[in-house]
Amino acid sequence: MRCRICKGKPVIYMPHHRLALCGEHFTGWFERYVDRTVKEFNMFSEESKVLVAVSGGKDSLALWYVLRKLGYTADGFYIDLGIGDYSEKSTEKVREFADRIGAKLIVEKLSESVATLPEIERFTSREACSVCGLVKRYNFNKVAKEYGYDVLATGHNLDDEASSLLSNVINWNTKYLGRKYPVLEAEEGFVKKVKPLCKLTEKETALYSVLNGIDFLEEECPYSEDANTIFYKQVLNQIEEKFPGTKLRFYLEYLRKVYPVFKEDKEGKITSCKVCGEPSPTEVCPLCRLRERVLNLNLNGA
Ligand code: AMP
Ligand code: FES
Ligand code: ZN
Ligand code: ZN
C-alpha cells in the first residue's frame, strides 16, 4: 500500500475512506476534513468567536490547534475539576499548550465555585462522572455567554458519538435520538454548541496529535469513562474490523435518516434558575442545588 498522493510510505490506511496516506498528506487531509465538516453543518464562519473546551487530552487539543491553523478565532476554556494529580497534570498540559500556540485560555476552578469533584462525591454520594457532566454542561454554556463567544466547540470524536448512539439505540432511548446532533443551535439562554471532530475516529485524532507534536495528557481520568461506554466502543471496533466502514456509516446514516424523524421530541419547559439565572428545567437549577447541598453539609461539619 502507498500514499495516494505521493506514493510514499503510508502511516495510516482508512478503510472507511479507502484511503492510505503518508504523515504529511494525512495532516493536510485531516485539516481539510475538519474544515469541510465545519462548513457542511454550518458550525461557524471566519467571523465567529469560537470557544474550544479543552481537557488536556488529544481530541480537544487537536481541535483547538486545527481550528487556529485553519484561521478561525478560537480561544480555550478549561475546567479544573480538582481531581488530585490528574487535574494538576492536565492543567499543566493545557497551560503549556496555550502558551505554545499563543492563544487565550480561560480557566475555571470548580473548587472556587463549589468544591473539588472528589469532595463533592464524598459529601453528596453522587457519582463523580454524573456531577462532572453537569458541571461541564453548565460552565461551557455560562462562560461562553459571559465572555461573548458565538459558539462552544468540544472535541467529541466519531468513537464517542457512535458508541453513545449505539447504547441509546439498544435501549430505544428516543429522546436522545432527537437531540444528538453535531450542531445544537443557540436558544434562549443556550449558546450554540458544535462537535467539529464528530466524523474522525479516535485513532485519526491521536495520529494527528502525534504527527503535529501536540503534547497531550495520555493518562485517563481516574473516574474514567464508565464501563458501558468502553464496552460499546469495543463492540463497535469489533464490528468495524469485520465490516470496515460500519462505524462512520452508522453515525452518518443516523444523522441523515433517524435524527430528522425524532427531532421534534423536545424536552420539557425551560425556565431561568432563580439563584443564578441560567436556563433550568426546575426553579433552582441542578448546579445551584448541588452547591447549596455542599455548602450546608460543610456548615454542618460533614
Ligand atoms: P469527555 O466527556 O471527557 O469525553 O470530554 C468530551 C469533551 O468535553 C472534550 O473533548 C473536551 O472538549 C471537553 N472537556 C472534557 N473535560 C474538560 C475540562 N476539564 N475542561 C474543559 N473541557 C473539557
Ligand atoms: Fe469527568 Fe473524570 S473527567 S469524571
Ligand atoms: Zn504522501
Ligand atoms: Zn442556578
Side-chain angles (χ1 to χ4, degrees), residues 53-55 60 77-79 81 136 140 154-156:
V54 284
S55 63
S60 50
F77 174 49
Y78 169 72
I79 305 172
L81 297 154
K136 283 182 195 160
F140 288 173
T154 52
H156 291 93

Side-chain angles (χ1 to χ4, degrees), residues 143-202:
V143 169
K145 281 189 303 177
E146 252 169 38
Y147 286 82
Y149 288 94
D150 302 302
V151 53
L152 183 282
T154 52
H156 291 93
N157 59 39
L158 177 61
D159 296 64
D160 297 326
E161 297 306 280
S163 60
S164 82
L165 178 59
L166 180 61
S167 83
N168 282 289
V169 167
I170 296 274
N171 293 298
W172 288 122
N173 184 356
T174 53
K175 249 193 188 146
Y176 168 97
L177 297 181
R179 273 206 309 257
K180 204 74 180 173
Y181 205 70
V183 178
L184 294 177
E185 292 298 339
E187 282 179 67
E188 182 74 39
F190 292 101
V191 73
K192 183 173 181 177
K193 297 185 189 77
V194 297
K195 299 174 182 173
L197 302 184
C198 64
K199 286 163 69 176
L200 288 152
T201 64
E202 199 170 292

Side-chain angles (χ1 to χ4, degrees), residues 59-290:
D59 303 304
S60 50
L61 290 187
L63 173 63
W64 195 9
Y65 183 83
V66 173
L67 293 185
R68 291 179 61 90
K69 197 164 169 193
L70 289 168
Y72 293 108
T73 306
D75 297 334
F77 174 49
Y78 169 72
I79 305 172
D80 179 349
L81 297 154
I83 312 174
D85 195 40
Y86 169 77
S87 288
E88 276 168 30
K89 283 189 204 154
S90 17
T91 307
E92 202 180 300
K93 290 280 180 210
V94 173
R95 284 198 192 279
E96 275 172 14
F97 190 74
D99 281 349
R100 178 190 149 196
I101 61 172
K104 175 176 168 181
L105 173 71
I106 301 169
V107 177
E108 174 86 23
K109 269 184 105 146
L110 182 60
S111 62
E112 284 171 7
S113 56
V114 189
T116 66
L117 195 62
E119 282 167 349
I120 298 177
E121 190 192 33
R122 230 180 20 251
F123 292 157
T124 64
S125 358
R126 272 191 64 171
E127 235 188 87
C129 289
S130 95
V131 173
C132 172
L134 167 67
V135 165
K136 283 182 195 160
R137 275 194 305 278
Y138 179 89
N139 282 293
F140 288 173
N141 196 54
K142 184 167 180 279
V143 169
K145 281 189 303 177
E146 252 169 38
Y147 286 82
Y149 288 94
D150 302 302
V151 53
L152 183 282
T154 52
H156 291 93
N157 59 39
L158 177 61
D159 296 64
D160 297 326
E161 297 306 280
S163 60
S164 82
L165 178 59
L166 180 61
S167 83
N168 282 289
V169 167
I170 296 274
N171 293 298
W172 288 122
N173 184 356
T174 53
K175 249 193 188 146
Y176 168 97
L177 297 181
R179 273 206 309 257
K180 204 74 180 173
Y181 205 70
V183 178
L184 294 177
E185 292 298 339
E187 282 179 67
E188 182 74 39
F190 292 101
V191 73
K192 183 173 181 177
K193 297 185 189 77
V194 297
K195 299 174 182 173
L197 302 184
C198 64
K199 286 163 69 176
L200 288 152
T201 64
E202 199 170 292
K203 192 173 150 194
E204 289 153 10
T205 60
L207 179 62
Y208 180 84
S209 298
V210 171
L211 289 173
N212 289 278
I214 295 171
D215 185 17
F216 60 88
L217 186 69
E218 279 182 64
E219 194 177 317
E220 292 284 330
C221 162
Y223 296 109
S224 194
E225 278 180 298
D226 72 293
N228 295 348
T229 308
I230 295 172
F231 177 72
Y232 283 116
K233 281 188 177 172
Q234 284 169 347
V235 168
L236 270 173
N237 283 337
Q238 278 179 22
I239 301 176
E240 181 72 20
E241 238 173 67
K242 192 153 174 62
F243 306 110
T246 304
K247 204 190 284 177
L248 184 60
R249 204 164 45 245
F250 175 57
Y251 179 60
L252 293 184
E253 292 299 274
Y254 154 76
L255 295 182
R256 202 166 67 84
K257 296 180 183 158
V258 183
Y259 173 77
V261 175
F262 290 97
K263 202 170 146 191
E264 298 306 312
D265 209 346
K266 283 252 170 195
E267 270 196 288
K269 206 176 156 333
I270 296 286
T271 58
S272 288
C273 167
K274 71 171 192 196
V275 180
C276 70
E278 285 299 294
S280 165
T282 44
E283 212 181 32
V284 177
C285 80
L287 199 103
C288 286
R289 273 185 288 159
L290 182 76

